[in-house]
Amino acid sequence: MRTIHTDIIINHISEMCIEANLHLSQDVADAVCQAADQETSELGSRVLHQLKENMDIAAAEQIPICQDTGMAVVFLDIGQDVHIEGMNIEEAVNEGIRQGYTKGYLRKSVVKDPVLRENTKDNTPGIIHYKIVPGENLKLTIAPKGFGSENMSKIYMLKPSDGIEGIKSAILNTVKEAGPNACPPIVVGVGIGGDFEKCALLAKQALTRDINDHSKIPYVRELEMEMLQKINALGIGPGGLGGKTTALGVHINTYPTHIAGLPVAVNICCHVSRHVTRTL
């Protein structure tokens, strides 16, 4: 049995919130740079080069890549042989978010109540997902999610008879309806299977994958590649101004489901696809 004190968790989460908002992961940064070099649309190319310049300025000046520093989404993979001591784990995670968003001078965007709309002034609480896994490690993933793209996401409760073509239509229709509002180029996370809430979680988790990490399931990998090609053929382009770079990547996660259902969730993220992972 390994013991991890919540002070350590708080420090890491605080640092990760700042890191995620100031620096894009290398895979996403490389994808933006590659797209900037390959985009054939003059306006689209200009937008991509501005995004590239913005990333460089953010890193050099230690300021956020985007003014919407997101709602903090936290995934905790907790080894079953880990004992956590100190604070309540959920309070510790939120304390880490609170410290990170305060120390990093990151925008506080969370309101206490969805109707009354009073700001919590420290970007807490976060959205926290727990998973118990084998071993004695604690894996932390921070994925701050901006709501320009989050608002464009959808869940579809398809019928099994809708099949793979229904899934394709759901993905493409979501991207079409999002248009420029999701701040393209985008990364598209898709969850297929489970139930109403599980497919949404699958889609959110898909956004934390490396941009070059394709599914190990052959038909899913083919679907990821086909959807990326078809999304980019829509011509929405960078900033919605036209071009062949509407999406940088499409990631799909699947899960078993009921014989009567085919849930599909499409979670869209702008090019600021922020995620940082550390294993303690």
Side-chain angles (χ1 to χ4, degrees):
M1 181 68 69
R2 180 181 172 213
T3 298
I4 299 177
H5 198 281
T6 51
D7 285 351
I8 296 174
I9 297 172
I10 291 169
N11 289 337
H12 278 282
I13 289 179
S14 175
E15 292 172 358
M16 293 165 73
C17 285
I18 297 172
E19 179 184 345
N21 276 294
L22 271 54
H23 305 276
L24 276 187
S25 59
Q26 194 60 51
D27 58 310
V28 179
D30 288 345
V32 172
C33 294
Q34 183 178 358
D37 293 336
Q38 296 178 350
E39 178 57 62
T40 54
S41 162
E42 182 179 349
L43 275 176
S45 177
R46 190 181 306 169
V47 170
L48 288 167
H49 279 92
Q50 287 175 342
L51 295 179
K52 181 180 175 182
E53 181 182 5
N54 180 67
M55 287 190 299
D56 293 339
I57 293 172
E61 301 292 333
Q62 290 294 284
I63 55 177
I65 302 166
C66 176
Q67 76 275 10
D68 183 354
T69 53
M71 190 170 190
V73 180
V74 183
F75 296 94
L76 297 176
D77 289 1
I78 305 172
Q80 62 185 16
D81 296 322
V82 170
H83 169 65
I84 296 172
E85 67 176 13
M87 298 172 62
N88 171 279
I89 182 63
E90 190 149 328
E91 292 176 358
V93 170
N94 281 314
E95 180 60 27
I97 294 169
R98 181 179 296 108
Q99 291 186 16
Y101 274 76
T102 301
K103 292 177 183 176
Y105 299 98
L106 306 176
R107 195 180 82 182
K108 286 75 172 180
S109 303
V110 175
V111 295
K112 290 181 181 179
D113 184 279
V115 175
L116 301 180
R117 315 300 292 180
E118 180 186 357
N119 198 295
T120 64
K121 298 182 174 59
D122 59 12
N123 220 58
T124 66
I127 305 295
I128 309 171
H129 302 287
Y130 302 93
K131 184 178 180 182
I132 304 299
V133 299
E136 57 178 19
N137 292 324
L138 172 60
K139 181 180 176 183
L140 306 171
T141 298
I142 305 292
K145 189 68 166 65
F147 264 61
S149 58
E150 187 77 354
N151 287 338
M152 298 296 105
S153 304
K154 292 194 174 188
I155 291 180
Y156 300 82
M157 300 305 290
L158 302 180
K159 301 182 296 293
S161 58
D162 291 324
I164 194 75
E165 293 305 318
I167 294 170
K168 293 177 184 179
S169 294
I171 297 170
L172 288 175
N173 287 338
T174 301
V175 175
K176 285 178 186 176
E177 290 183 28
N181 296 320
C183 300
I186 58 176
V187 180
V188 182
V190 181
I192 305 172
D195 60 2
F196 182 81
E197 81 275 6
K198 180 65 175 181
C199 69
L201 179 56
L202 292 170
K204 181 75 70 180
Q205 288 175 313
L207 291 175
T208 66
R209 281 164 46 187
D210 187 289
I211 203 81
N212 302 304
D213 179 21
H214 294 291
S215 174
K216 303 299 186 294
I217 304 171
Y219 89 87
V220 178
R221 181 170 61 251
E222 291 173 8
L223 184 59
E224 289 175 337
M225 297 171 68
E226 180 184 348
M227 288 296 93
L228 179 60
Q229 182 181 20
K230 288 185 174 179
I231 288 171
N232 284 330
L234 294 173
I236 297 170
L241 298 174
K244 67 177 186 178
T245 314
T246 298
L248 299 173
V250 176
H251 292 154
I252 300 173
N253 287 339
T254 62
Y255 194 83
T257 192
H258 191 277
I259 57 172
L262 182 57
V264 177
V266 184
N267 195 202
I268 296 180
C269 189
C270 64
H271 85 281
V272 187
S273 183
R274 295 165 287 202
H275 47 88
V276 175
T277 297
R278 294 183 184 179
T279 300
L280 309 185

